[in-house]
Amino acid sequence: MLNRLSLRVRIFLFFAALAVGALIALGVGLTLGYRRLGSPETLDAFVQGGVVAAFAIVGLVAWVWYLFDVNVAKPIDILAGALRARAHADVTGEMNAAIARYLGDLAPAATAAAASLSETRNALAEAVARETTRLTDEKARLEALLSDVPVGVLLCSGDHALAFYNGQAVDLIGAGSAAPGLDRQVFDYLRQGPIQLAHERLMATGDPDAASDLLCTTVNGARVMAARMRLMGGDNGAIPGYVLTLRDVTADMASQARREALLAEVFDRVRRPAANLATLIEVIPEGSAAPGRLDTALREEVLQLAQAVTELSRRHDESRDDGWPLTMTRDFDLLEGLRARIEADGLGVTTTAADLLLRCNGFEIIALISGLAEEMGKQGLARDFDLQVQEDGTGGLIRLIWAGASLPMALLDQWLERPLEPGLSDVARRSVLAMHATEIWPETLPDGRYCLCLPIPQARRVVRRPAPIARAVVYDFDLLSKARNAKVQDARLDDLTYVVFDTETTGLLPAQGDEIVQIAAVRIVNGRRVDGEVFDTLVNPRRPIPLSSTEVHGITEAMVQDAPFVEEVAARFHKFAEGAVLIAHNAPFDMEFLRRLEPKLGLRFDHPVLDTVLLSAVVYGQHEVHSLDALTHRLGITIPEEARHTAIGDTVATADAFLKLMPMLAGLGLQTFGEVVGEVRRHGRLLKDLN
């Protein structure tokens, strides 16, 4: 029990016990003396003397305790905090030995120990730097290689959290939505079904070198991508992570469709005039087309032209059957892409797969069927659809089913003559049917519903696992092997993801109508601040900004005039902070502004919260000043003058302070989030704990 009390409290209790003991001894002595004397007339004298002596004893003990507290206990606490900062947070400033002038050689010894530790650290850092230079160069080369590869690369943990992404991946999955972020779910950017199914499929093979090709789409259905997944890790019984390479086939297939349409049009236009020219030459009597040998040469050239056009047209038609656009695509992936496109148009859809591999151009089939569904929605024929894939002999059958009005064949023919995509004006939907050697037609089902039937001539059941392919690059990332714990209370501090944030406001009284004018946040993942993942925006408060507030944070009404309102910003911040522990300096103030928006947003800011004010009190004691300036000064963190009292400047300073406090908390034996919160609640006199 006493071990949980601070040094100053224990010393106070010691002197209090000493005073109580002295008073008891005084009382016992006076009582025995009075009884032995046996004179009632001396009772008042004994009482008065006892009271005076008691006050003298209490005063003397209190005075000695105060001197001991100020000159011994408090300096020891300060000295311990300074040593802990140098031991765990790599603070290098000189220690103030004057505060411990009554502690004999303790302060000089502590200063010498800190200096020796600093020298040892510097020597060790130089040795480590020399030994790791080669690894750093290799890492830089690997990062350059991965950033320059022409495909997007994602590395995900076994629970589908992003551990790495390159620039191409940002362009592919971040377009039109939030940019990817470390430790976020890949399903925030790509449709869940195909990726999760491929992951489960690869784990079921039991082959660590197996790979799986899949077709996936962005969550908004804007892009269709060809992907390849390969497992990584999975040691010690953990769920293996995976590498996902992405290639945008939307643009590739659109370009291919244009070339195919152009070639088909060329052959269609040339074939008929060549045939007519050959027929015309045949009906003209020999020798009358041109004199002598010129007539013979003319007939031979016309015949060769007709034969060449016929041969090239035949070879082009054959190449459609084995060209790269027609690949084996899983029906589940195809249906997920269709679902994304159809739902993006505001229509409802359910899907039923048959576990088939369809030989088709996934982009064209998705564009064709989703386009027809959109046309039906615009015509008012249907708003909800049921997409099914069925086995049909040696092929497959895609059926788009709806309840409502029937689709006339004439109207379907009109829609098939329209462009496949808005950006493909020269590629008609009907060309997709020609490419796949198939047709599409409407039918009436026995239950009274209607459907569009699209046969795919070649399909097969999924029976074989992917063949393993040798890997050329191996790399190790801590996030892939990080053991995760669903319970935040039991999680180690360095295993959690944090979002450190700060707000600037119109004033200090949210209950009286003050509003946020700026909010900024940074993310801490795996014990480091991620430079590229920053949330920073001005906010239109819908009210004047007092001059006194502008003098503090420098934000004027003109600066926020065109800024988004707080409801939009708060919703975006909630998404940015999803799954993370929130950290702020004086968190109750900032959280009150956010939590009062919960009824309007329909969201709850129920994240776990840590306050660096309380963490500073845990490390340095409540007697210290715990302002952000004081804390950063103690930790050797410099806040540029121009950044102080800006949301992003204070956020970065708070994040850096927290990163230095983490090892100091560990040095106190506080390893998990729950242990830290339990210790924080002992300092409730400073601020309210929000957990």
Side-chain angles (χ1 to χ4, degrees):
M1 178 65 181
L2 289 176
N3 291 335
R4 297 183 58 85
L5 301 177
S6 68
L7 174 64
R8 297 179 70 191
V9 172
R10 280 183 278 177
I11 289 176
F12 171 78
L13 292 177
F14 170 78
F15 278 97
L18 184 63
V20 171
L23 291 175
I24 292 174
L26 175 64
V28 171
L30 289 175
T31 301
L32 293 176
Y34 172 72
R35 288 180 178 178
R36 186 163 183 174
L37 186 61
S39 176
E41 296 83 6
T42 61
L43 177 61
D44 290 341
F46 270 93
V47 171
Q48 292 175 1
V51 171
V52 171
F55 275 107
I57 289 172
V58 171
L60 179 62
V61 171
W63 180 60
V64 174
W65 165 78
Y66 174 75
L67 293 177
F68 203 89
D69 182 68
V70 171
N71 297 302
V72 177
K74 185 175 179 180
I76 288 176
D77 255 2
I78 295 174
L79 205 59
L83 283 173
R84 192 173 291 114
R86 282 150 183 79
H88 300 295
D90 200 20
V91 175
T92 58
E94 290 188 4
M95 294 174 56
N96 182 10
I99 62 174
R101 58 186 177 275
Y102 296 110
L103 298 180
D105 287 337
L106 180 59
T111 303
S116 176
L117 176 62
S118 178
E119 292 174 2
T120 303
R121 270 202 184 128
N122 291 336
L124 179 61
E126 291 177 2
V128 171
R130 287 194 300 269
E131 294 300 323
T132 56
T133 299
R134 179 178 58 84
L135 295 178
T136 302
D137 292 341
E138 288 186 1
K139 179 176 178 289
R141 286 194 292 269
L142 177 61
E143 289 176 347
L145 174 64
L146 289 175
S147 65
D148 289 337
V149 293
V151 295
V153 180
L154 303 177
L155 264 67
C156 301
S157 62
D159 55 0
H160 308 286
L162 287 175
F164 170 86
Y165 55 86
N166 65 352
Q168 285 74 9
V170 174
D171 295 337
L172 289 174
I173 68 177
S177 62
L182 292 179
D183 206 33
R184 292 187 180 278
Q185 289 285 298
V186 70
F187 304 140
D188 289 345
Y189 313 100
L190 299 175
R191 298 284 291 193
Q192 178 173 350
I195 296 174
Q196 190 166 22
L197 185 64
H199 189 227
E200 294 171 356
R201 191 165 60 239
L202 286 176
M203 289 193 296
T205 64
D207 184 352
D209 292 325
S212 179
D213 293 320
L214 60 145
L215 191 72
C216 59
T217 57
T218 52
V219 289
N220 58 8
R223 274 185 167 155
V224 180
M225 287 174 282
R228 167 164 288 186
M229 179 183 293
R230 187 187 306 282
L231 296 181
M232 288 188 68
D235 299 331
N236 301 322
I239 300 175
Y242 53 90
V243 182
L244 193 67
T245 56
L246 303 170
R247 183 166 59 88
D248 182 14
V249 295
T250 304
D252 293 345
M253 291 183 174
S255 177
Q256 177 70 16
R258 288 193 187 93
R259 288 195 297 270
E260 286 294 332
L262 178 61
L263 284 173
E265 183 179 357
V266 167
F267 285 119
D268 186 59
R269 290 189 178 185
V270 172
R271 185 186 296 114
R272 185 173 300 174
N276 292 339
L277 185 59
T279 303
L280 182 62
I281 287 294
E282 289 178 359
V283 300
I284 297 177
E286 292 189 12
S288 60
R293 298 170 62 182
L294 184 59
D295 180 85
T296 303
L298 180 60
R299 291 176 183 275
E300 290 177 354
E301 291 297 327
V302 169
L303 179 61
Q304 290 179 9
L305 175 62
Q307 291 175 345
V309 170
T310 302
E311 174 66 14
L312 291 174
S313 179
R314 180 187 63 79
R315 288 166 58 186
H316 172 253
D317 291 338
E318 291 176 351
S319 69
R320 288 180 172 180
D321 294 333
D322 55 8
W324 69 265
L326 297 184
T327 57
M328 301 306 290
T329 303
R330 291 182 181 271
D331 59 352
F332 183 85
D333 298 353
L334 192 71
L335 291 177
E336 280 295 303
L338 281 166
R339 181 202 291 268
R341 283 289 184 91
I342 293 174
E343 289 178 347
D345 294 327
L347 306 174
V349 60
T350 59
T351 59
T352 305
D355 205 18
L356 295 177
L357 287 172
L358 305 175
R359 193 165 192 273
C360 63
N361 183 316
F363 165 74
E364 291 186 346
I365 295 298
I366 290 174
L368 172 64
I369 297 179
S370 63
L372 294 177
E374 182 184 4
E375 297 279 12
M376 283 191 278
K378 290 179 179 178
Q379 287 287 332
L381 300 180
R383 299 293 301 176
D384 296 289
F385 300 92
D386 181 19
L387 264 171
Q388 298 179 0
V389 175
Q390 301 173 350
E391 195 170 6
D392 185 24
T394 59
L397 178 66
I398 302 176
R399 304 207 305 175
L400 181 66
I401 303 172
W402 72 94
S406 62
L407 173 61
M409 191 66 196
L411 184 57
L412 176 61
D413 286 336
Q414 292 180 19
W415 291 348
L416 291 176
E417 298 304 324
R418 293 179 180 176
L420 179 64
E421 289 271 272
L424 298 174
S425 58
D426 52 348
V427 180
R429 291 173 177 147
R430 191 178 295 280
S431 65
V432 177
L433 303 178
M435 169 71 72
H436 292 80
T438 187
E439 288 292 338
I440 189 170
W441 64 87
E443 280 187 0
T444 303
L445 300 178
D447 61 3
R449 293 186 299 168
Y450 303 97
C451 78
L452 278 178
C453 298
L454 176 62
I456 302 297
Q458 298 182 44
R460 65 174 175 83
R461 286 200 163 274
V462 179
V463 293
R464 292 181 299 176
R465 73 181 188 181
I469 300 175
R471 289 175 287 179
V473 178
V474 179
Y475 204 77
D476 183 29
F477 291 85
D478 291 339
L479 277 173
L480 296 178
S481 59
K482 184 169 76 172
R484 296 178 181 270
N485 193 326
K487 295 182 179 179
V488 175
Q489 291 291 325
D490 299 330
R492 292 175 56 86
L493 289 179
D494 51 7
D495 283 342
L496 293 171
T497 295
Y498 303 92
V499 167
V500 187
F501 77 104
D502 183 58
T503 61
E504 299 297 336
T505 62
T506 59
L508 304 177
L509 302 172
Q512 297 183 18
D514 280 321
E515 296 287 351
I516 296 173
V517 295
Q518 186 182 29
I519 183 169
V522 297
R523 297 183 82 234
I524 294 177
V525 179
N526 212 25
R528 67 180 181 89
R529 178 162 55 86
V530 185
D531 292 336
E533 298 181 16
V534 177
F535 185 96
D536 185 17
T537 181
L538 294 171
V539 181
N540 188 334
R542 297 192 182 98
R543 57 160 291 172
I545 302 176
L547 181 61
S548 58
S549 298
T550 299
E551 290 175 350
V552 174
H553 49 57
I555 299 173
T556 64
E557 294 180 17
M559 293 170 63
V560 300
Q561 183 176 359
D562 298 324
F565 295 128
V566 69
E567 292 81 6
E568 176 188 343
V569 172
R572 286 166 45 201
F573 175 73
H574 188 277
K575 183 65 177 176
F576 183 83
E578 187 177 33
V581 176
L582 291 179
I583 296 176
H585 197 80
N586 191 12
F589 175 78
D590 299 289
M591 291 302 299
E592 185 174 353
F593 282 97
L594 296 176
R595 286 180 173 170
R596 69 176 183 167
L597 294 169
E598 291 176 343
K600 292 182 181 179
L601 300 177
L603 300 170
R604 287 186 57 80
F605 288 92
D606 53 1
H607 308 67
V609 180
L610 288 178
D611 193 323
T612 47
V613 172
L614 296 177
L615 297 181
S616 176
V618 169
V619 172
Y620 291 105
Q622 294 195 18
H623 59 272
E624 287 285 2
V625 178
H626 301 294
S627 67
L628 184 59
D629 288 321
L631 177 60
T632 54
H633 176 72
R634 283 197 295 269
L635 293 173
I637 299 169
T638 301
I639 308 177
E641 186 63 32
E642 64 276 9
R644 185 67 177 102
H645 290 301
T646 66
I648 189 62
D650 289 355
T651 294
V652 171
T654 304
D656 291 345
F658 174 71
L659 289 173
K660 291 201 171 189
L661 288 171
M662 279 178 65
M664 298 171 70
L665 293 168
L668 290 171
L670 305 175
Q671 302 285 349
T672 68
F673 180 84
E675 291 171 347
V676 171
V677 171
E679 185 67 21
V680 158
R681 285 174 177 160
R682 296 179 55 236
H683 300 269
R685 288 180 296 171
L686 287 176
L687 289 173
K688 178 184 176 183
D689 172 49
L690 297 178
N691 293 287

